[in-house]
Amino acid sequence: MKKIGLTGGIGSGKSTVAEIFSRLGVPVFISDTVAKELQEHDPHFKKAIAELFGEDLYSGNKLNRAKLAQLVFADKKKLEQLNAVVHPAVANAFEKFCEANRDAKYVLKESAILFEIGDDKNLDGMIVVSAPDELRIQRVMQRDGVEKASVVQRMNNQMKQEEKVKKAAFCILNDESQLLIPQVLRINETLRS
């Protein structure tokens, strides 16, 4: 089984592309979803977050993600501390996912920061979803109800998409002038052969 990364900057359309692959029967591991589950249900994970960033980030089992985002995206050191807790736990969950889907031709690991954390070295190939920066900013502002400055701050904590595209085996352009499904179908056909 091949392990393929699916990445792209915030607002690029990774989730939409992941959904298309999923509908084609490809097992898709959504890193953010798994991280959120861990943040709310794993006692060791919750303890580590509370120790690093304060117990007031939790209200019962609910993590105040907006407050955590404000803390870590304004301070690279805090972002690194968070990543040091999140990424090993998510990597462990991905290994279990791969074992559960071992009969698949390939699985996808979707995450915005696969290159940034060096996870591309643990995968058999990379797919990057790209879109123009202004379009990405508009999408995230609309989706999350946040100001442009907040989106730009998050974008600045990710690798530039031009660099990601250069490093990837496949690129999907999601600029609203190209159809996504034919691009996904071509990649799926290649990966299944």
Side-chain angles (χ1 to χ4, degrees):
M1 172 212 338
K2 294 179 202 154
K3 299 174 185 177
I4 306 297
L6 175 62
T7 193
I10 187 170
S12 63
K14 289 179 308 302
S15 299
T16 301
V17 170
E19 178 63 25
I20 297 168
F21 274 105
S22 180
R23 288 179 185 256
L24 292 172
V26 178
V28 180
F29 180 90
I30 308 292
S31 298
D32 279 351
T33 301
V34 172
K36 287 173 185 173
E37 288 171 8
L38 290 168
Q39 289 166 356
E40 295 188 355
H41 302 295
D42 183 308
H44 301 294
F45 197 94
K46 287 169 63 174
K47 183 179 180 214
I49 296 291
E51 285 175 0
L52 282 170
F53 304 107
E55 302 215 0
D56 61 325
L57 277 180
Y58 279 97
S59 174
N61 278 340
K62 199 81 175 142
L63 176 66
N64 185 337
R65 286 190 184 82
K67 186 173 180 180
L68 181 61
Q70 277 181 329
L71 287 171
V72 301
F73 289 119
D75 183 335
K76 276 215 186 285
K77 184 170 172 49
K78 287 183 179 176
L79 180 59
E80 288 170 8
Q81 290 173 322
L82 177 63
N83 287 341
V85 172
V86 173
H87 299 304
V90 171
N92 185 41
F94 179 64
E95 288 310 313
K96 290 177 183 172
F97 175 85
C98 290
E99 182 57 32
N101 291 285
R102 66 181 168 274
D103 294 334
K105 280 271 191 192
Y106 72 98
V107 298
L108 288 181
K109 182 177 188 181
E110 185 269 347
S111 174
I113 57 172
L114 292 172
F115 284 118
E116 290 85 339
I117 64 171
D119 212 11
D120 57 305
K121 293 170 185 66
N122 302 320
L123 299 166
D124 300 309
M126 296 292 292
I127 302 168
V128 171
V129 182
S130 71
D133 287 351
E134 279 307 312
L135 181 57
R136 292 169 53 207
I137 290 167
Q138 288 172 359
R139 288 174 179 163
V140 177
M141 287 172 62
Q142 230 174 3
R143 180 190 75 197
D144 296 351
V146 294
E147 298 294 318
K148 181 176 181 173
S150 174
V151 181
V152 171
Q153 185 181 46
R154 289 191 216 174
M155 288 171 71
N156 289 337
N157 280 298
Q158 295 178 349
M159 180 185 288
K160 299 285 180 226
Q161 69 179 348
E162 297 80 24
E163 292 176 51
K164 290 182 182 191
V165 168
K166 285 180 192 172
K167 293 180 169 201
F170 305 98
C171 181
I172 294 173
L173 183 57
N174 187 17
D175 64 355
E176 298 183 356
S177 71
Q178 311 272 335
L179 294 174
L180 286 178
I181 292 174
Q183 295 179 77
V184 171
L185 289 172
R186 280 192 298 274
I187 293 169
N188 180 57
E189 192 176 307
T190 300
L191 290 172
R192 286 189 186 278
S193 63

